[in-house]
Every structure is written in structure tokens, then in C-alpha cells.
Amino acid sequence: MKFKEEYESQMVPEWQEAYMNYDDLKTLLKNIQQIRQTRKQNAGVKRTMTLYRAFSGLVQRHNFPINPSRKESESQHIFVNSMNENGERGYDATYLPLPEEGAECEKEYFRKLDEEFNKVEKFYKSKVEEVMDEAENLSKQMDALIAFRLKADILQGQSGESDVSEPKFEERKLKTVNANKTVPLDIIGQVKVNQTFATPASMVRNVVYASRMTEEDYIKENVKKVEKQLNEAFAEFYLRLRHLKSYSFLNILAFSKIMKKYDKITSTKASDSYMKMVDKSYLGSSNEVTKLMERVEATFIKHFASSNRRKGMDILRPKTKIERHRISFCIGLFVGCSIALVLGLILIIQARKLLDKKGQAQYMENMFPLYSFFAFVVLHMLMYAGNVYFWRLYRVNYPFIFGFKQGTELGYREVLLVSFGLATLALTSVISNLDMEMNPQTEEYEALTELLPLGLVLLVTVIMICPFNIIYRSSRFFFLVCLFRCIAAPFYKVTLQDFFLADQLTSQVQAFRSLEFYICYFGWGDFKHRENHCKSSSVYKFFYFVVAIIPYWSRFLQCFRRLVEERDPMQGYNGLKYFVAIIAISSRTAYSLYKGFNWQITSWIFSIIATIYGTYWDLIMDWGLLQRQSKNPWLRDKLLVPNKSVYFVAMVVNVLLRLAWLQTVLNIRVSFIHKETLITIVASLEIIRRGIWNFFRLENEHLNNVGKFRAFKSVPLPFTYHEAANDHDN
């Protein structure tokens, strides 16, 4: 692997702008090389004067000293000095040119080199100052935690629950944390525990049990909560230190590489002088980060890993996920099975002429909606797999944006494995249930094959909630937690992964309606004769509205919660978008069920408003495009995809796919396509649109993080000192 590729692969994605710009410097070196090659070609073949001097012999009888000025002239190609500008220290490499062509280009190279180095050192120094301040804060948090632990032990000893005598506890009050510092219990009176009521359960528990809790119960409960919070805070802080150390190492290595290239091109030793300056600079000589990492490791192992170094380091440095060949093998197996089953399905339909059978219409009305549910899920998962592939390709830090625990995020290969595995099961079930005629003896369809789709739904549900560590348990639980938070939207603080999932659910309205049909068909229908009266039931029609509205209503409540918490009027406008969408989808549903001119006009009006509103929000707010004054006309200043036409095509496709609702309002019918098939195709178009939307939405979010150098999540700390709280209030 070339250094450039390795250099870019190890960058912290959100800090890309702060790294040394290796490409620009390499381009300048190529210009220097071209000028020198051109000069050599123009000079022709000329012998130097040294070839005509008298030969001094192979054996020197006298040891004459070598002219030091000539030896040092190669290394004195540049002169590096430090300077102070606006109170900040910087470095300037002065090029000492020879009177020859190309000197201006080399001056430009060293000017750019100085600019890059000063940028890197300034950024590094600012980040070191930030982590040092945070280290002081964490030290105070640890003092408070140790005081709480001592207090808990003392209360436990006084209550008679421990065999440890009281004097021993009093002695521990002065137990030293290090050689120069003690932790008195008086700290407990100087701090307060931050109460975060992120969930309705925590709020109710605090109101109901706060008055009944004794001091011992209060201390014990808070110690556990505080330890969990500080555990997470230390792990995140250590990750920041690791990235900062890597940042320093990579940039020093990059400067060394680029100067060696310069030496090779110019046949000088300028890198010696320049790298001495780099080594003496703050970037090369500072060891605060290394020392801080050692102290964090020692503290974490002692206080959070019971002095077990292996256990502590496993938490601080999670092992990188290993790409396994068996995943690739299983993907190939399931892809092959899926293709074979699709071809087999087509051949069976043609060979047995199932489309001409009497029970074909009955099958499409009863069985097809059941299996279309799996088509929607598999298609959405395939789109997500494509998203993950392109996010990785263009270095979008999706694990950080979604808040995945390090090492647990699914790659596109894992998502493809699950997708094609489910597709194989669904297609097998379809082929097993292709009977178009009842058994002539029983005048019923086979009960076992008719229950296959229900059994498959139950199997998927069991796997999703399975507590055992199989089939990506961490990802399944992450999905279920986000899903629950979407359902209980107004009662939970809204995070990006929550509203991102809620947006995905708005594109799965037809899948929710398929689940409703499952309940009606197998609960109240006659599945043995493939008969149901669902669509004539008033209860079914009522829930036909409800299941379509739920995803949009959840998203509306999330916007309302964020409006109240963040006081951001844009969240109110975003919520209004979903409210208009609710009216539009309700009116279209009413028109599809009851027809009528009034419903048609209402559908037209609100569908047009919702489409214009949604398209505007997609392109301008979610994707950040259509900026007239940007460097890239009608796009935005920063783009991850090099081909700009991709963005224009995506905008056009997004608009066209948003018009899929016209099929319902215009009551479009195709003679050779069944009504249920047409509904499935239209719903699939919306899923495809959502998949395209996902990539550009997360790209814009990533670029916002890059602009703010936001590469780490903020972990709320458990304690607040009273003086800090008073300063904050003031």
C-alpha cells in the first residue's frame, strides 16, 4: 500500500482538514521535478570542469581536510527559524536558492510546507489544551467518586452489613490516591449528582422513591450510576487521546516522507534541517498525551477493572473487527440460492401456467400481500447495505454518527448476509406455497403450507428478540431500543439514530399495512380456503388509516420534543412537514377506500403541498444542496463524491420518486399487472428513494461534523461542583 493511501486510511475522518495536505505538496514536488528535468535536457551533454583537472592519484600521501563548507552546503539548502505572530509561535523555512531556473517553484513549496506545518501544530496544541482541561475535570470527578465509595462503605459498616470494623473505615477516609493527594469525605458536601430524567421510568422512580430513600440507599444507587457514567467517560476520553497521538505520529511521518521526496528530486539533504525543527517543535517534542494516556490506563484499571489490566485494556482498546472469509462464503451461498429460487419460481409459473389458473386472483388477493412484506424488508436492507458500502468508500464516519459501540457496527457484507438469508427463506416459502387449487378430497388448501408466511414472520420476530449472543445481538438490540424510542417519541430525548430510524419507517407504510393484513387474515380470515373479509371490515379500514399515520406521527412528536428542548424554530417547520404529510396520506387512503370527488380534490391539494414541502426539505435542509453562492454552483462547498453530476441526478430522481403518489390519485391501472403488484411496485419505489436519501443525508451530517472537527461524542459527567454550578448560573 502506498503511503498516501495508508495516510488517508488512518486519518480521523472529522479532522481531515487539519492534517497535512500531502497531495498539494506532492503536486508542487512534481512541478519542481519537471522543471529540473527540462533544465537537464536543455543543457545537453556537457562535461564538468572537474573531469579536466589533474588526477590526484589513488593513494593520498597527505590527509588534507575536506572543505566543510562544501559538505554542509547540501544540508544548508534551507534555513529554518521560529517566529512569533499574533502571540502564537510558528516556523518559517527560508529557501536559499541557487541562481538557476525553478527557484520560485521551490520557494512556493517551502511556503506551503510552512503553512501546513503551522496549521498542524496549532491544531494539535489546541486539542492538547482541551484534553488537559478535560483531564482536570475528570480528576475532580474521580475525587468525588472515591469519596462516595468511602461514604457507602462507612454506611454499610454502620448498618452491620459488613464485618469490617468502624476504625478501619475512618482510616480509609485519609487513604491516599497518590503520593501527594488525599480524598476527604467533605467533597460530598461540595458536589451534587446530576439527575438526568431521560426516560419516563427514571422520572417516575425519582418522584415516587426519592422521599422514601435513606442516605445509605441514595449513596449506593448513585455510586453504581456514577461508576457507569465515568466508565464511559474514561473510555471516550482515552479514545480521544489515542486519536490525538495518532494525529501527531501521522503528521510527523508525512512531513518526513515529503521531505525525503524533496531530497531525492533535488539531490540535497534539506530534510535534515527541517526534521530537526519538527522534532524540536511542540508537535514533535510534546509528551503530555503519552503521559496522560499512561495515567488514564492506571486509573481505569485500578478503579473500574478491579486491578485487572487485561480486562481494563479490553475496554479501553476494543479489538478491531476481523473480516471473516466465512461471511463471504455464506453471502455467495445465499445469493446463489436466491437467484436459483427466483429462476425456479419463474419456470414453475410458466411450466404450470399458474397465471391462467382459476385460483390465481384468489392467490393475489390473499397470499401475495403476505409475501410482499418480506420483499419490502429485504429491499430496504439491500439499500442500507449499499449505503454502508458507499459511506465507507467516501469515508463517512457512520458508526460515530449513529452512536454504534466501537466494533459492533455492521459492515455492508454482514447486512448483505442477513438480507439474502431472509430472501432465501422467503422465496423457499413462496415456492412451497404455489398451489392454485384446493385439495379435491378435503376441499381445502394444505394448512401447513398456508401457515408458512406466518411462521416466517414469527421466526424473524423470535430472532430479533433472542437474548443469546447470536446473529449480531448488539445490532439487534440497538435497533429494538431505537424502535422503542420512536414509539415513545415524546417521552425520550431525541437523538440522530432515533429520528433517522423514524424516517425509514415513514417509507415502510405498506409493510405496516401488510402486518395488519397478517393479523386480520390469520386471526379472522379463513386461511384454509384463502378467504377473508378484511377490506369490508370497518375496524380493518380504521387501522388501515392508523398504521399509515403512526410513522409520520412519531416523527412529528420527535420534532415537537426537539422544538421544546432546543428552542429551534426549524424543528417546528420540520414537524409541520410531517403534519402535512399525515393529512396527505390520510386523504389518499380515504380516496382509495371510499372514492368520491371531494376526497380526490383533497388528495390532490395536500399531496402537492406535501411533495413540494418534502422535496424542498430533502434537497436544501437534509442534503444541504442548491446553494447558489457555493464553490460548486447549485450544490455545496464540500462534496465527497468527485463526480458532481451524481448530485444532480440524485435530485431529479428524488423528485420523480416522490411523485409515486400519483398512481393512487389518478387511479392508474395497468392491464397486465395485478392491483396488488402495482401497489408493491409503488411502495418499492419509495424505499429506493429513501435509500438514496440516506446516503446524502449522512454525507451532509458528516461534513457538518468535519466543519466543527467533531469526532467524539460528549458523555455527560455525573458530578457538578457547587462553585461551577454557581458560575454557570451567573
Side-chain angles (χ1 to χ4, degrees):
M1 181 185 291
K2 292 184 178 180
F3 174 73
K4 176 190 171 184
E5 297 174 355
E6 184 179 356
Y7 179 61
E8 292 178 350
S9 67
Q10 294 187 27
M11 285 181 179
V12 178
E14 288 75 13
W15 290 355
Q16 289 179 22
E17 299 295 327
Y19 282 83
M20 187 257 268
N21 196 328
Y22 191 79
D23 284 339
D24 286 358
L25 291 171
K26 196 172 179 182
T27 301
L28 291 173
L29 283 182
K30 288 181 180 179
N31 295 337
I32 295 172
Q33 187 177 26
Q34 288 175 358
I35 292 173
R36 286 179 172 263
Q37 287 176 349
T38 303
R39 188 169 64 239
K40 286 181 180 180
Q41 291 173 0
N42 295 336
V45 181
K46 294 182 180 179
R47 293 180 178 271
T48 61
M49 293 302 295
T50 57
L51 295 177
Y52 300 103
R53 291 176 184 171
F55 184 57
S56 60
L58 295 176
V59 179
Q60 289 185 354
R61 298 183 182 276
H62 303 283
N63 294 325
F64 295 103
I66 299 174
N67 186 0
S69 61
R70 183 179 176 186
K71 183 178 180 180
E72 292 176 1
S73 63
E74 294 179 336
S75 62
Q76 292 299 321
H77 193 61
I78 60 171
F79 178 72
V80 184
N81 62 338
S82 61
M83 60 180 184
N84 288 317
E85 184 176 351
N86 297 328
E88 294 183 357
R89 186 178 180 183
Y91 294 90
D92 175 51
T94 304
Y95 173 63
L96 305 177
L98 299 173
E100 57 186 17
E101 185 183 356
E104 290 300 323
C105 191
E106 296 191 39
K107 283 183 179 179
E108 174 63 20
Y109 166 76
F110 281 106
R111 187 198 64 77
K112 181 65 176 177
L113 190 68
D114 292 338
E115 180 183 322
E116 291 297 318
F117 181 78
N118 291 327
K119 176 191 73 175
V120 168
E121 188 181 50
K122 181 181 178 181
F123 179 81
Y124 179 72
K125 194 171 184 179
S126 67
K127 288 299 176 185
V128 170
E129 290 174 355
E130 287 180 13
V131 297
M132 295 304 291
D133 291 341
E134 190 171 349
E136 288 292 332
N137 200 0
L138 284 175
S139 298
K140 293 181 179 180
Q141 299 288 318
M142 282 302 302
D143 289 343
L145 171 62
I146 293 171
F148 262 71
R149 282 176 171 173
L150 290 175
K151 184 67 175 178
D153 286 348
I154 291 172
L155 291 173
Q156 187 177 10
Q158 290 176 349
S159 63
E161 296 180 10
S162 175
D163 296 333
V164 185
S165 60
E166 178 67 24
K168 186 173 181 180
F169 288 110
E170 295 297 331
E171 182 182 346
R172 287 179 62 183
K173 290 167 67 176
L174 299 175
K175 184 178 180 179
T176 57
V177 180
N178 55 46
N180 303 316
K181 190 175 180 181
T182 60
V183 180
L185 292 177
D186 296 341
I187 290 179
I188 295 178
Q190 301 173 15
V191 300
K192 67 176 181 179
V193 180
N194 297 325
Q195 299 290 344
T196 55
F197 305 122
T199 66
S202 62
M203 188 180 298
V204 171
R205 185 169 60 250
N206 183 74
V207 172
V208 173
Y209 296 105
S211 58
R212 305 181 192 174
M213 290 177 67
T214 62
E215 183 182 11
E216 181 182 354
D217 294 334
Y218 175 78
I219 293 290
K220 282 183 179 180
E221 182 175 339
N222 280 291
V223 163
K224 292 179 182 178
K225 184 179 71 172
V226 165
E227 285 178 348
K228 183 178 179 181
Q229 285 182 289
L230 281 179
N231 189 317
E232 186 178 356
F234 267 90
E236 192 66 25
F237 181 65
Y238 188 78
L239 177 63
R240 184 176 303 185
L241 294 176
R242 287 177 62 196
H243 282 320
L244 203 51
K245 187 175 181 181
S246 172
Y247 175 84
S248 172
F249 171 78
L250 275 179
N251 279 288
I252 292 174
L253 183 60
F255 282 109
S256 175
K257 290 283 185 181
I258 204 70
M259 286 305 300
K260 285 180 180 178
K261 284 182 178 292
Y262 177 81
D263 286 354
K264 185 177 180 181
I265 291 171
T266 60
S267 300
T268 62
K269 293 183 180 179
S271 61
D272 293 344
S273 300
Y274 200 86
M275 291 312 297
K276 283 180 183 178
M277 177 274 293
V278 172
D279 292 337
K280 292 179 182 178
S281 67
Y282 187 83
L283 180 69
S285 62
S286 172
N287 61 353
E288 284 97 335
V289 174
T290 303
K291 289 182 178 179
L292 195 53
M293 288 180 71
E294 293 174 356
R295 291 197 294 269
V296 169
E297 289 174 6
T299 302
F300 191 86
I301 291 168
K302 179 180 179 181
H303 293 280
F304 299 100
S306 303
S307 298
N308 187 332
R309 181 171 180 80
R310 176 179 293 182
K311 178 183 176 183
M313 294 309 295
D314 285 345
I315 298 173
L316 290 177
R317 296 187 179 183
K319 296 179 180 179
T320 55
K321 191 164 56 174
I322 301 174
E323 299 288 343
R324 302 187 182 278
H325 294 295
R326 64 187 181 192
I327 294 179
S328 300
F329 171 79
C330 292
I331 291 174
L333 176 64
F334 287 131
V335 169
C337 290
S338 299
I339 294 174
L341 288 169
V342 169
L343 293 175
L345 181 62
I346 295 172
L347 291 174
I348 290 173
I349 292 174
Q350 293 296 327
R352 294 168 57 181
K353 298 182 179 179
L354 296 181
L355 296 178
D356 300 328
K357 296 282 185 178
K358 181 180 178 181
Q360 181 263 345
Q362 197 174 12
Y363 182 91
M364 293 301 296
E365 291 290 337
N366 294 276
M367 302 306 297
F368 187 83
L370 301 177
Y371 288 115
S372 63
F373 169 77
F374 298 103
F376 299 140
V377 174
V378 170
L379 177 60
H380 210 138
M381 292 176 69
L382 290 175
M383 295 300 296
Y384 179 70
N387 291 149
V388 172
Y389 174 80
F390 286 107
W391 287 332
R392 285 192 172 184
L393 179 64
Y394 295 109
R395 294 183 56 76
V396 175
N397 194 0
Y398 73 96
F400 167 69
I401 294 173
F402 286 138
F404 292 131
K405 187 178 179 181
Q406 189 176 1
T408 63
E409 71 278 2
L410 295 184
Y412 71 94
R413 296 162 70 249
E414 289 84 356
V415 179
L416 285 176
L417 175 62
V418 177
S419 304
F420 284 108
L422 180 59
T424 300
L425 290 175
L427 288 169
T428 303
S429 178
V430 170
I431 290 180
S432 303
N433 196 15
L434 270 180
D435 295 329
M436 297 295 171
E437 298 177 356
M438 291 186 288
N439 189 325
Q441 296 179 354
T442 60
E443 295 185 352
E444 293 178 348
Y445 292 95
E446 292 293 334
L448 181 62
T449 56
E450 295 301 303
L451 290 172
L452 280 177
L454 178 62
L456 191 54
V457 169
L458 294 177
L459 175 64
V460 172
T461 305
V462 169
I463 291 175
M464 285 296 298
I465 62 176
C466 178
F468 302 111
N469 192 14
I470 57 172
I471 314 179
Y472 310 119
R473 179 179 64 177
S474 59
S475 297
R476 289 189 284 109
F477 282 14
F478 183 88
F479 172 78
L480 292 175
V481 168
C482 291
L483 181 62
F484 177 76
R485 292 169 70 93
C486 289
I487 296 172
F491 304 109
Y492 286 84
K493 182 177 177 62
V494 182
T495 57
L496 185 141
Q497 56 265 35
D498 297 334
F499 68 72
F500 191 87
L501 177 60
D503 279 324
Q504 308 306 304
L505 298 180
T506 59
S507 297
Q508 286 285 6
V509 169
Q510 201 56 42
F512 287 114
R513 285 174 169 171
S514 295
L515 287 177
E516 180 196 6
F517 186 73
Y518 266 94
I519 297 172
C520 179
Y521 181 72
F522 288 105
W524 290 273
D526 186 1
F527 65 88
K528 291 184 179 180
H529 294 88
R530 289 184 183 170
E531 294 178 354
N532 74 86
H533 303 285
C534 296
K535 294 183 179 179
S536 61
S537 170
S538 58
V539 176
Y540 180 85
K541 290 180 179 179
F542 171 75
F543 282 101
Y544 199 72
F545 280 92
V546 172
V547 296
I549 292 172
I550 285 177
Y552 292 94
W553 182 250
S554 173
R555 192 68 188 88
F556 171 77
L557 292 177
Q558 287 178 339
C559 293
F560 179 75
R561 168 84 185 227
R562 294 186 68 184
L563 175 64
V564 173
E565 283 187 343
E566 302 172 13
R567 306 293 181 184
D568 183 4
M570 297 306 295
Q571 296 301 325
Y573 301 140
N574 196 18
L576 181 61
K577 178 190 72 173
Y578 291 102
F579 186 76
V580 173
I582 289 173
I583 299 175
I585 197 170
S586 299
S587 59
R588 290 202 299 267
T589 302
Y591 175 68
S592 65
L593 292 176
Y594 306 115
K595 304 302 179 185
F597 180 75
N598 291 335
W599 284 121
Q600 187 179 26
I601 294 298
T602 306
S603 301
W604 268 106
I605 294 173
F606 283 100
S607 294
I608 291 173
I609 295 173
T611 300
I612 295 173
Y613 203 159
T615 302
Y616 171 85
W617 203 271
D618 285 349
L619 304 184
I620 295 179
M621 305 305 297
D622 290 338
W623 294 1
L625 302 177
L626 295 180
Q627 298 179 12
R628 288 185 295 178
Q629 305 301 327
S630 68
K631 297 177 183 177
N632 305 295
W634 296 105
L635 297 177
R636 59 172 119 82
D637 290 340
K638 295 181 180 179
L639 303 173
L640 295 183
V641 182
N643 192 349
K644 298 178 184 178
S645 61
V646 171
Y647 293 91
F648 292 104
V649 171
M651 286 191 282
V652 173
V653 170
N654 182 77
V655 173
L656 293 177
L657 293 181
R658 271 196 173 273
L659 297 176
W661 55 267
L662 288 172
Q663 183 269 332
T664 302
V665 177
L666 296 177
N667 200 23
I668 298 174
R669 294 289 181 266
V670 182
S671 59
F672 57 88
I673 297 179
H674 193 275
K675 177 185 175 182
E676 293 294 335
T677 306
L678 192 59
I679 291 174
T680 302
I681 293 173
V682 172
S684 299
L685 292 178
E686 169 58 22
I687 295 172
I688 293 171
R689 187 197 70 82
R690 181 60 62 184
I692 297 171
W693 178 90
N694 289 344
F695 173 80
F696 296 102
R697 174 65 181 88
L698 226 65
E699 179 203 23
N700 191 34
E701 184 70 23
H702 173 75
L703 291 175
N704 288 336
N705 290 339
V706 170
K708 300 174 183 177
F709 298 110
R710 187 170 54 205
F712 308 97
K713 64 179 181 181
S714 58
V715 180
L717 296 176
F719 296 110
T720 299
Y721 281 75
H722 290 314
E723 56 270 18
N726 293 334
D727 292 342
H728 178 71
D729 292 340
N730 292 334

